[in-house]
Each structure stands twice: as C-alpha cells, then as structure tokens.
C-alpha cells in the first residue's frame, strides 16, 4: 500500500506536471508519475505557434528529464494514429504513435495494448476458428473461460506487446484479461 495522488485538471501543461511532481517528491519519494494521456497536455506559452509534432516532442523530452531528475519511472499513455485501422493486421506498431517519433526515441520501454477482437471481423464465418487459435496463442483453453471463446477474444483478451525495450529484447507478448464491467485488467482466468 502506498499513497496515490490524482490530479484531474483540464488544460495543464507539461511544466505544471513537472512542478507538481517535484513538489510531491520533496514530501516523499515517488514510486511513479503517470500521465494519461500525453496529447491532452496543453501548450505552454513557450510553445505557442509550434507545430503539434514539436509540441508533443517537447512534452515527451521534458517528461523523460523529469524521470531522471526524480529517479522514478514516468509512465506516459499516448494516443495512436488511425493508421492502425488501415493496417492489414490491425495491430498497433511503434510507427502508429501519434504526432511524434520523439515519444519512441525518449521512451525506455514502449508497451502496445491491443484488444484482440479488433483484429477480427466478428461477423465472418471463420471468426470462431480464429478466436480459438488466438486463445491457444494466449495459452488458454475454452474450459478456463467464464464465457464463450468468441466473447473472450472479442471483448476480454488484451494483448500487451513489448515494442521497445532499451535494456532487453523487444517483441515479447503478455496476455491479460480485461474485465470491462469493473474497469480492471487482471491475469488470465
């Protein structure tokens, strides 16, 4: 158990987040700082007139500096571009990070979350077979599920891919269970 502070204010800038985190860190060491999500941070006065890409790049770089200054992880949630929808596999990739390659450059680890059901056409005749194959890749048998294989893949199975890792190999995949009714992510059933 440790304290959790939530700052839910509209229109905050990266400088506001940095200042707030530093003040909190003066009171007690921080376990992590989470920004949900990067593209919602407002432009600072210094950035007025900059392109959206430069704005996001500045924020990403400044938050990377904050992680070093506080010696704690800064976890950034970031939006993906719509290119994911046009991709034949419909799986997120590093190149889909919206508005800045700087996010990828600054990050030590990039995790891409994917609800597996998005990659399949649920109305297709082969969806049940694809659902079972996806469950097998996740190491799940139908007998372990609290619902049908089709519902599990369409609504609950969350694929987490390690797309970048500075201190290790990328490409690993972890499978999690999304409990939408309780807004929780859990281990597999």
């Amino acid at each position: 158990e440790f304290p959790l502070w939530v700052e839910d204010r509209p229109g905050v800038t990266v400088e506001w987040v940095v200042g707030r985190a530093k003040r909190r860190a003066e009171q007690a060491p921080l376990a992590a700082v989470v920004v949900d999500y990067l593209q919602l941070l407002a432009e600072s006065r210094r950035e007025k007139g900059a392109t959206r890409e430069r704005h996001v790049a500045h924020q990403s770089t400044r938050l990377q500096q904050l992680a070093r200054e506080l010696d704690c992880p800064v976890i950034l949630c970031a939006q993906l571009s719509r290119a994911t929808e046009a991709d034949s596999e419909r799986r997120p990739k590093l190149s889909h990070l919206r508005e800045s390659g700087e996010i990828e450059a600054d990050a030590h680890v990039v995790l891409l979350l994917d609800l597996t059901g998005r990659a399949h056409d649920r109305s297709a005749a082969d969806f049940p077979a694809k659902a079972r194959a996806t469950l097998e890749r996740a190491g799940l048998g139908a007998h372990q599920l609290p619902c049908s294989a089709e519902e599990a893949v369409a609504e609950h199975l969350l694929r987490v891919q390690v797309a970048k890792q500075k201190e290790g190999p990328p490409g690993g995949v972890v499978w999690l269970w999304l409990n939408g009714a309780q807004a929780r992510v859990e281990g597999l059933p």
Side-chain angles (χ1 to χ4, degrees):
E1 298 283 327
F2 53 88
L4 174 68
W5 291 283
V6 176
E7 301 285 353
D8 186 16
R9 299 171 189 234
V12 300
T13 64
V14 70
E15 287 79 10
W16 187 91
V17 172
V18 167
R20 192 62 158 195
K22 285 182 173 183
R23 281 191 297 284
R24 292 279 186 199
E26 288 170 0
Q27 298 167 2
L30 299 178
V33 174
V34 179
V35 176
D36 182 18
Y37 67 91
L38 180 64
Q39 288 92 339
L40 283 181
L41 291 175
E43 292 180 29
S44 66
R45 279 182 250 135
R46 288 187 300 185
E47 297 177 298
K48 294 292 182 199
T51 65
R52 185 77 182 139
E53 289 77 15
R54 286 300 325 138
H55 167 64
V56 171
H58 165 74
Q59 293 171 326
S60 174
T61 300
R62 185 62 191 102
L63 291 167
Q64 180 196 43
Q65 292 167 349
L66 176 67
R68 287 188 188 133
E69 292 167 18
L70 298 182
D71 193 28
C72 80
V74 174
I75 301 165
L76 296 179
C77 299
Q79 187 177 25
L80 297 177
S81 70
R82 298 238 182 244
T84 306
E85 300 298 324
D87 190 86
S88 62
E89 292 181 10
R90 297 189 68 172
R91 296 249 184 254
K93 297 177 181 163
L94 281 174
S95 60
H96 297 150
L97 282 172
R98 187 168 186 168
E99 296 171 323
S100 179
E102 199 71 28
I103 299 169
E104 177 187 348
D106 289 339
H108 285 245
V109 175
V110 176
L111 301 176
L112 299 173
L113 281 61
D114 179 33
L115 269 173
T116 58
R118 293 177 357 96
H120 303 296
D121 177 3
R122 291 195 227 171
S123 63
D126 64 347
F127 179 66
K130 286 184 175 180
R132 285 189 297 279
T134 299
L135 290 174
E136 285 176 22
R137 282 195 303 278
L140 275 177
H143 65 281
Q144 296 169 277
L145 301 174
C147 59
S148 71
E150 292 84 358
E151 182 185 342
V153 169
E155 303 293 334
H156 300 288
L157 199 58
L158 182 66
R159 181 177 179 269
V160 181
Q161 177 190 352
V162 180
K164 177 185 177 181
Q165 187 174 203
K166 279 192 176 175
E167 311 228 351
V173 172
V174 175
W175 297 90
L176 298 173
W177 189 261
L178 178 65
N179 184 335
Q182 296 179 354
R184 290 175 36 163
V185 175
E186 307 164 342
L188 293 176

